[in-house]
Amino acid sequence: SDGILATGVVTASLTGVDVHHNGSSGLRYEHSSGSRIAIASSNFSDNGLDGINTTGLSVNPVLVWTGLTLERNGRHGARVITGIQIENATIRDNASSGLNGEVVLRDSLVSGNQTGISSDTFGNINLSRVTLTDNGTAIFSGRTVIIRDSYLFGNANGITAPRTLTISNTVIAGSATAIRSSSIAGSSVTLDHVTVGQATGTALTVPAGQLAISNSIFSAGSGTVLAVSPAVVVTSDYNLFHSTAFDAAALSSWRALT
């Protein structure tokens, strides 16, 4: 059973609550028009499924949940819908994803999850000042991913499968593959002031679409810096690409430069 079940038009505020060891989700919030549940400084842990599971209509205006701890849940730390923003959270050691769905996350730590952050078919991911570490995969998404001012390190895999990826002022280190974008035609990757460092493997794989890199550093140790399909349109401006295997940039392919 769920620890807290909220359905229909509900207005509530949860502050300083501890919701744990429930058979299903800690909080199941079936959002409908006019419903508002505020959450602050609360813990949702050790539940059988999700710490928090939200479904239903998009939330408007935006609802900000702050100071959450989401840990050791049997599936996701939280599944979120459009219009929920999470800030100042600790999201760790969940069996599936730390966060899943339409994710907006600020000033938070995501660690030790099978996947740090994932989105389903229609979900996008927007991160600012987030640290993702020691996850199996840091981010998995087939949609749009935007990352600013963040730090991804020690994840087995970095960012996987986004159709549109935009990253700025971010460090990605210590993964087997830092970035692998979507193979769907029309995909795009835009990187500005990004630093990527890893000991081996392929730092950046772009199978389709467009790639724009500026003011960035890529180092792949003994591995490959860039693996880019010949069909990809590439724009590169003020970048450093380095591999110790060649003591220079190691490019699997580099075509259609503009």
Side-chain angles (χ1 to χ4, degrees):
S1 61
D2 300 305
I4 302 171
L5 173 61
T7 63
V9 180
V10 177
T11 301
S13 179
L14 304 176
T15 302
V17 301
D18 191 2
V19 185
H20 59 87
H21 291 96
N22 297 283
S24 188
S25 295
L27 166 64
R28 182 153 63 96
Y29 177 22
E30 298 177 357
H31 179 264
S32 59
S33 180
S35 179
R36 303 281 293 176
I37 294 182
I39 309 176
S41 305
S42 295
N43 174 51
F44 298 82
S45 64
D46 299 293
N47 298 287
L49 290 177
D50 305 323
I52 301 173
N53 184 309
T54 61
T55 59
L57 301 172
S58 300
V59 179
N60 188 17
V62 170
L63 187 59
V64 178
W65 292 346
T66 184
L68 302 185
T69 298
L70 306 166
E71 60 185 0
R72 299 186 306 275
N73 295 287
R75 188 169 60 183
H76 307 314
R79 188 182 188 285
V80 288
I81 57 176
T82 302
I84 294 175
Q85 180 172 308
I86 297 176
E87 298 180 352
N88 299 301
T90 299
I91 304 165
R92 61 192 176 199
D93 301 329
N94 297 284
S96 186
S97 296
L99 293 178
N100 170 261
E102 182 82 20
V103 176
V104 179
L105 183 65
R106 305 281 186 265
D107 302 298
S108 296
L109 170 67
V110 182
S111 68
N113 307 282
Q114 178 179 332
T115 302
I117 300 172
S118 65
S119 65
D120 43 24
T121 306
F122 300 104
N124 300 312
I125 295 172
N126 191 316
L127 310 179
S128 294
R129 301 174 301 279
V130 173
T131 296
L132 292 109
T133 181
D134 297 324
N135 300 285
T137 296
I139 298 170
F140 180 87
S141 173
R143 300 288 292 180
T144 296
V145 176
I146 300 171
I147 305 172
R148 304 178 187 88
D149 306 315
S150 295
Y151 188 25
L152 288 67
F153 70 97
N155 304 286
N157 294 291
I159 303 165
T160 302
R163 185 165 183 178
T164 302
L165 176 64
T166 304
I167 309 178
S168 60
N169 300 311
T170 292
V171 174
I172 307 172
S175 298
T177 298
I179 300 168
R180 181 178 180 86
S181 64
S182 173
S183 59
I184 298 174
S187 299
S188 68
V189 176
T190 304
L191 310 175
D192 181 55
H193 287 92
V194 174
T195 300
V196 173
Q198 59 191 62
T200 188
T202 302
L204 174 59
T205 300
V206 182
Q210 300 183 24
L211 169 63
I213 313 175
S214 57
N215 307 301
S216 295
I217 299 171
F218 286 78
S219 176
S222 60
T224 301
V225 177
L226 303 178
V228 181
S229 167
V232 173
V233 177
V234 180
T235 303
S236 175
D237 193 14
Y238 291 98
N239 301 297
L240 172 64
F241 305 102
H242 183 259
S243 170
T244 57
F246 301 95
D247 198 30
L251 308 185
S252 289
S253 58
W254 186 262
R255 300 289 187 270
L257 291 176
T258 61

